[in-house]
Amino acid sequence: MAKDKETPVKRKITKKVFLTVLVITSPVWGLALALYLTSIGAFGELPSIEQIANPETKLATEIITEDNEVLGTFFYENRTPAIYEEISPNLINALVATEDERFFSHSGIDARALARAISGLGSKGGGSTLTQQLAKMQFNDPARNIIERIGQKLGEWIIAVQLERMFTKEEIIALYLNQFDFLYQAVGINSAARVYFNKKPIDLKIEEAAVLVAMAKNPSLYNPRKYPEQSKQRRDQVFVQMVKNGFLTEEIKDSLKELPVQLEFRPQSHNAGLAPYFREYLRGYMKGWIKEYEKRTGNDLNLYTGGLKIYTTINAEMQRNAEEAVQEHMSNLQRIFDIIKEDRKYGPFYFDDDPAGNVRKIVDQAMRRTQRYRGLKKRGVSKDSINEVFNTPIPMTVFSWEGDIDTTMSPRDSIMYYKGIYQVGMMSMEPQTGFVKAWVGGNDYQYFKYDHVKQGKRQVGSTFKPFVYASAIIEKNYSPCMQVPNAKICIEKGEYGLIEDWCPSNSDGKYGGTKSLKHALANSMNTVTTFLMKQIGPRPVIKLARKMGITGDIPEVPSIALGTVDLSVFEMVGSYTAFANKGRYVQPIMITRIEDKNGVVLEEFTPETHQVMGEKEAYAILKLLMGVTEDGTGQRLRHNYGEKFYRNKAVTGYPYAFTNEIAGKTGTTQNNSDAWFMGAVPNLITGVWTGCEDRAAHFGGGFGTYYGQGATSALPIWGVYMKKNYSNPKLEISMEPFERPKGTLDIDVDCIPSSFDYPGEGDAFNDEF
């Protein structure tokens, strides 16, 4: 039978079917073609497989305390990665329920969600999976037009599929959360948890996790800091999604919705946060260290993008205790200072001659150092015009211990205002290891950038006297119990280059009888210190100070005995380690090790240490210093002094009542310009300095003189700080006695006070230059 020929009708039907199928399937073929063109770069270059596997991120360098807190970061982008196991299940559940319900079942593209998004033109929700959103983050630059955006969208699909092939679902979640920008320099979940809630990601509660997940839809619109109500509405919707997906019950959801959005907002800034002065010192140190490391190894490092980990000796709780102690005392001290200087014509300043001219000179010099002045000068603005700028009131925010003050004043008046602010420097370290535990370089780093721990050098007053006593004990084998005449002693002109006799007086003007070295140091008696200097001369004192880590300039003159030298808190605290550490000096150390982003140790650090005196001599000095807190200028640490009043206002009390052995020394310089306290227990030495920026600004006159001395201006910070430390036994701050050397001591240290050795009422608080 002959084969039927294809009729025109059949050919027409076949063609129609073919065209119909072609039309119906054309979107699929078109999409396939578009995906192919995208994959070969027709719409722009896609990230490579290697880039996807190892996304280029700018990782912040972390500063880590000895108790494993992140003290701060150095960054361009404040990003530190977290692995899946370090992220709270609350956060993961909230994220999946809200952003990608079928995340654990799809392969990068959710067909159902995509179809829903297309059919509703976006009104029924987006179609992007978490994996696609992560892929979108690979495109750093926003699309310039719809064609480019379509190309990017196709690229996201391709990258999403590749991501799903290369990573586990858990790894994709971690990658997503590490990439997301939560605003306020909080890039990634580690930073976000710290900035918004001061927590690690693993510790986030359900309501906290929901706030961060709410930001995934639109971080600006649902910013909990700026728009708390909108943030709460979106957070509550996250709860609804968690119920829908079986992560919460209706009852729990209803109770959670009643909670307000509660933040512990701590924006990451180089000016804010814990220990900003220490962090700024560390930044400078690390720049030098990186330069030396690169030169030594040939490997490049970047402090801001390299993801380094710097392990420090700072103890986070002790640092908080130190900052709180400074806040509590300095706010009160400033209040008293403000009261006392109310009646002064020249504010905080004291000048014997030409006070108006001297004050004008100080303010003019400060004005010329400002950025505003330098900028105007550089632009060629005339002197008269610059003066007009500095004398014209403008809105500004100024520092106060009660919080920032928004006010209107001239730049010149603001300079005068800040000249009347009392400043502080404080450092605390462990004498056996050299580990620096706390570092407070000033009142507030946002307003006062100058670090009074390491940068600042001020006259140390009587805190230098132990160097003289130690030199005398070493050189002459003197005993702390040795009796010395309480009489004016002179070192005659011609000796050590003196152009006239040097005959220091006791601050109370009282002389007669004899005093033990222990009593004399306890009450800062200048006559006895001068006697010792006359016996040994300044050279042995300087030599000993150098061995004890003092690097500042010390002239070879007798007056150094009374603390005329300018030294830093850092040097002074470091030097006292020799007394508390059995005669062995230990250099202060702030870093234990530095690791790269992969945990490879780049360097470990140990302090320099050397013996500077015998154990018995060191113990003899400790006994001298213990006398300061037993019956000398620091004895208030042993008591509960009641409130004192000024102009019928309660100003302060001293509720310390320590019973353990404390070695200490107060120091006050001429006119109360500088006030010091050095305090030590067996495993912690702390130094405190207070004073105004200019030495001519200080307490003075009657009751003011009392408040300007080291025992009142600096010592209370030590007392409050130690009270806080002792309240937490986990810190293991010793309350034990100092360890006594074994065997028979060659030096008599157990003094029996003579009738001349008991301080009078005035002596107990008397500590002068």
Side-chain angles (χ1 to χ4, degrees):
M1 184 176 172
K3 187 177 179 180
D4 290 339
K5 290 185 179 179
E6 191 174 14
T7 64
V9 173
K10 282 186 177 182
R11 285 197 301 269
K12 190 174 182 179
I13 292 172
T14 301
K15 185 177 180 181
K16 189 174 182 179
V17 170
F18 174 77
L19 290 173
T20 301
V21 171
L22 186 63
V23 169
I24 292 172
T25 61
S26 61
V28 177
W29 292 106
L31 180 60
L33 178 61
L35 286 169
Y36 171 74
L37 292 173
T38 302
S39 68
I40 64 174
F43 302 111
E45 187 177 357
L46 294 180
S48 67
I49 301 291
E50 290 75 18
Q51 287 173 316
I52 296 170
N54 301 287
E56 183 181 345
T57 54
K58 297 179 176 67
L59 298 179
T61 288
E62 289 187 304
I63 308 163
I64 302 169
T65 66
E66 72 159 7
D67 43 346
N68 206 33
E69 284 195 27
V70 176
L71 190 62
T73 51
F74 298 129
F75 58 85
Y76 290 141
E77 282 186 358
N78 187 24
R79 185 203 311 269
T80 53
I83 61 175
Y84 184 83
E85 290 74 19
E86 295 172 336
I87 302 170
S88 168
N90 295 323
L91 185 67
I92 294 164
N93 294 341
L95 180 67
V96 171
T98 307
E99 292 297 314
D100 193 350
E101 294 175 313
R102 284 173 292 280
F103 173 72
F104 287 102
S105 60
H106 65 63
S107 298
I109 299 173
D110 186 345
R112 286 171 57 185
L114 182 60
R116 182 194 64 223
I118 293 172
S119 65
L121 298 177
S123 62
K124 298 179 182 178
S128 291
T129 65
L130 278 175
T131 318
Q132 287 174 261
Q133 292 179 45
L134 174 58
K136 184 179 179 180
M137 295 176 190
Q138 309 298 321
F139 294 93
N140 295 321
D141 299 321
R144 291 167 293 185
N145 52 57
I146 185 64
I147 300 300
E148 194 169 291
R149 180 63 195 125
I150 291 172
Q152 284 188 355
K153 194 68 178 176
L154 294 171
E156 289 168 17
W157 289 0
I158 293 170
I159 295 171
V161 172
Q162 291 174 325
L163 286 169
E164 291 278 349
R165 289 174 180 170
M166 298 172 63
F167 296 103
T168 66
K169 290 289 187 179
E170 290 77 12
E171 288 171 334
I172 288 171
I173 284 180
L175 281 170
Y176 174 88
L177 289 170
N178 287 331
Q179 290 274 346
F180 195 85
D181 188 343
F182 291 89
L183 308 181
Y184 299 108
Q185 296 288 355
V187 182
I189 191 58
N190 249 332
S191 295
R194 192 161 60 242
V195 166
Y196 289 99
F197 300 106
N198 192 31
K199 289 185 176 182
K200 296 178 180 179
I202 194 67
D203 298 323
L204 290 170
K205 297 178 182 177
I206 296 174
E207 62 271 23
E208 295 166 341
V211 168
L212 297 179
V213 169
M215 296 179 75
K217 186 175 181 65
N218 186 323
S220 298
L221 183 62
Y222 300 111
N223 174 355
R225 175 72 173 172
K226 196 171 183 181
Y227 305 113
E229 285 304 315
Q230 290 169 214
S231 172
K232 183 179 184 304
Q233 289 172 10
R234 180 62 185 167
R235 181 206 68 176
D236 293 349
Q237 186 58 38
V238 172
F239 295 149
V240 171
Q241 286 298 115
M242 293 182 75
V243 171
K244 177 184 173 184
N245 287 275
F247 295 119
L248 287 181
T249 64
E250 283 285 349
E251 292 75 18
I252 293 176
K253 179 206 73 175
D254 292 340
S255 64
L256 289 172
K257 288 176 71 173
E258 296 298 316
L259 299 174
V261 173
Q262 290 186 317
L263 305 178
E264 189 173 342
F265 188 63
R266 296 196 178 188
Q268 297 298 293
S269 160
H270 299 309
N271 288 338
L274 202 61
Y277 291 92
F278 171 74
R279 287 187 279 118
E280 187 56 30
Y281 159 77
L282 194 61
R283 183 211 303 273
Y285 174 85
M286 285 301 299
K287 286 181 179 179
W289 181 86
I290 286 173
K291 187 175 181 180
E292 189 276 332
Y293 176 85
E294 290 177 338
K295 182 179 179 181
R296 186 176 74 245
T297 65
N299 298 325
D300 291 336
L301 291 177
N302 190 302
L303 182 62
Y304 302 101
T305 63
L308 302 176
K309 291 187 185 297
I310 308 169
Y311 290 87
T312 73
T313 62
I314 297 293
N315 181 285
E317 180 162 353
M318 293 174 71
Q319 179 69 32
R320 273 189 285 271
N321 290 345
E323 292 184 11
E324 289 171 5
V326 165
Q327 160 76 32
E328 289 175 26
H329 176 68
M330 292 301 290
S331 59
N332 189 51
L333 187 72
Q334 186 66 49
R335 182 168 59 86
I336 300 165
F337 188 52
D338 289 342
I339 293 170
I340 290 174
K341 66 185 177 66
E342 279 179 0
D343 297 331
R344 294 191 199 170
K345 184 177 180 180
Y346 300 103
F349 295 105
Y350 268 99
F351 287 104
D352 294 330
D353 300 314
D354 189 22
N358 281 307
V359 171
R360 184 169 56 251
K361 187 183 298 183
I362 287 175
V363 176
D364 284 346
Q365 288 173 344
M367 183 181 77
R368 287 192 290 271
R369 289 194 296 268
T370 64
Q371 207 167 16
R372 177 184 277 113
Y373 180 91
R374 290 171 180 169
L376 293 170
K377 192 76 173 174
K378 191 174 181 179
R379 297 206 308 266
V381 178
S382 69
K383 184 178 179 180
D384 289 343
S385 296
I386 292 176
N387 285 332
E388 184 178 350
V389 168
F390 273 83
N391 285 293
T392 301
I394 57 174
M396 64 174 67
T397 302
V398 297
F399 165 84
S400 85
W401 283 109
E402 284 69 44
D404 297 346
I405 298 174
D406 293 323
T407 186
T408 299
M409 67 170 69
S410 71
R412 190 177 182 87
D413 286 342
S414 73
I415 291 172
M416 189 68 172
Y417 172 81
Y418 282 121
K419 292 295 184 183
I421 300 292
Y422 248 69
Q423 306 288 333
V424 65
M426 175 184 181
M427 191 180 97
S428 192
M429 70 175 283
E430 190 175 65
Q432 290 77 23
T433 62
F435 289 179
V436 174
K437 302 291 189 176
W439 179 309
V440 183
N443 298 343
D444 186 322
Y445 189 75
Q446 180 179 347
Y447 292 96
F448 309 101
K449 295 290 193 282
Y450 193 76
D451 176 24
H452 290 288
V453 168
K454 207 162 194 302
Q455 277 182 290
K457 291 179 182 283
R458 295 291 285 256
Q459 281 193 352
V460 293
S462 296
T463 59
F464 195 80
K465 287 178 179 177
F467 295 98
V468 181
Y469 281 70
S471 299
I473 288 172
I474 294 168
E475 295 284 322
K476 301 287 188 179
N477 203 37
Y478 289 163
S479 160
C481 308
M482 172 184 172
Q483 293 284 322
V484 175
N486 178 26
K488 260 198 176 185
I489 305 292
C490 290
I491 297 179
E492 299 174 354
K493 67 178 181 179
E495 292 187 70
Y496 313 110
L498 293 176
I499 59 174
E500 60 183 5
D501 291 349
W502 185 64
C503 311
S505 302
N506 285 333
S507 57
D508 59 6
K510 296 177 181 178
Y511 307 96
T514 63
K515 299 292 182 182
S516 69
L517 295 188
K518 183 176 181 180
H519 176 85
L521 183 65
N523 291 277
S524 283
M525 299 180 67
N526 292 337
T527 52
V528 175
T529 309
T530 307
F531 169 85
L532 295 177
M533 176 56 75
K534 190 175 180 68
Q535 307 309 305
I536 60 174
R539 187 166 296 176
V541 178
I542 297 171
K543 185 178 178 181
L544 178 64
R546 294 288 181 230
K547 289 181 180 178
M548 294 171 66
I550 300 297
T551 59
D553 182 46
I554 310 177
E556 194 175 327
V557 293
S559 61
I560 63 171
L562 305 186
T564 56
V565 296
D566 287 1
L567 300 174
S568 67
V569 172
F570 184 86
E571 290 174 286
M572 289 300 294
V573 175
S575 70
Y576 272 52
T577 60
F579 302 140
N581 192 35
K582 302 179 180 180
R584 192 166 191 82
Y585 165 75
V586 182
Q587 182 186 50
I589 183 174
M590 288 72 76
I591 304 173
T592 54
R593 73 181 187 277
I594 299 171
E595 295 179 358
D596 69 9
K597 64 182 179 181
N598 299 313
V600 176
V601 177
L602 303 180
E603 187 169 347
E604 292 184 294
F605 298 81
T606 54
E608 292 182 16
T609 177
H610 53 263
Q611 201 75 27
V612 298
M613 66 183 75
E615 183 179 350
K616 294 177 181 179
E617 287 86 355
Y619 187 73
I621 303 301
L622 282 176
K623 293 293 282 188
L624 286 169
L625 294 171
M626 281 186 258
V628 173
T629 64
E630 289 167 0
D631 64 3
T633 57
Q635 67 171 276
R636 64 187 64 193
L637 291 171
R638 303 294 183 191
H639 305 288
N640 277 324
Y641 283 88
E643 287 187 315
K644 292 189 177 295
F645 292 83
Y646 185 76
R647 293 183 179 174
N648 297 320
K649 295 180 181 179
V651 287
T652 188
Y654 303 98
Y656 309 126
F658 293 111
T659 57
N660 54 304
E661 287 187 352
I662 299 169
K665 188 69 195 81
T666 55
T668 312
T669 66
Q670 191 71 35
N671 297 322
N672 305 301
S673 293
D674 302 281
W676 291 77
F677 182 70
M678 302 294 299
V681 294
N683 64 348
L684 194 68
I685 298 173
T686 304
V688 181
W689 165 87
T690 63
C692 289
E693 180 181 300
D694 292 270
R695 299 181 200 226
H698 50 75
F699 279 101
F703 202 61
T705 299
Y706 164 79
Y707 274 99
Q709 64 178 316
T712 316
S713 192
L715 176 146
I717 294 175
W718 189 92
V720 175
Y721 170 63
M722 292 301 288
K723 276 284 189 182
K724 291 176 182 290
N725 286 341
Y726 282 137
S727 69
N728 182 1
K730 291 182 180 179
L731 293 177
E732 297 183 342
I733 307 301
S734 175
M735 296 192 77
E736 298 298 315
F738 288 95
E739 186 179 348
R740 190 183 180 98
K742 294 179 175 58
T744 304
L745 294 180
D746 299 331
I747 304 171
D748 183 11
V749 296
D750 300 311
C751 310
I752 299 173
S754 73
S755 60
F756 298 105
D757 276 351
Y758 291 102
E761 182 66 26
D763 291 332
F765 303 107
N766 182 27
D767 179 30
E768 294 294 331
F769 171 66

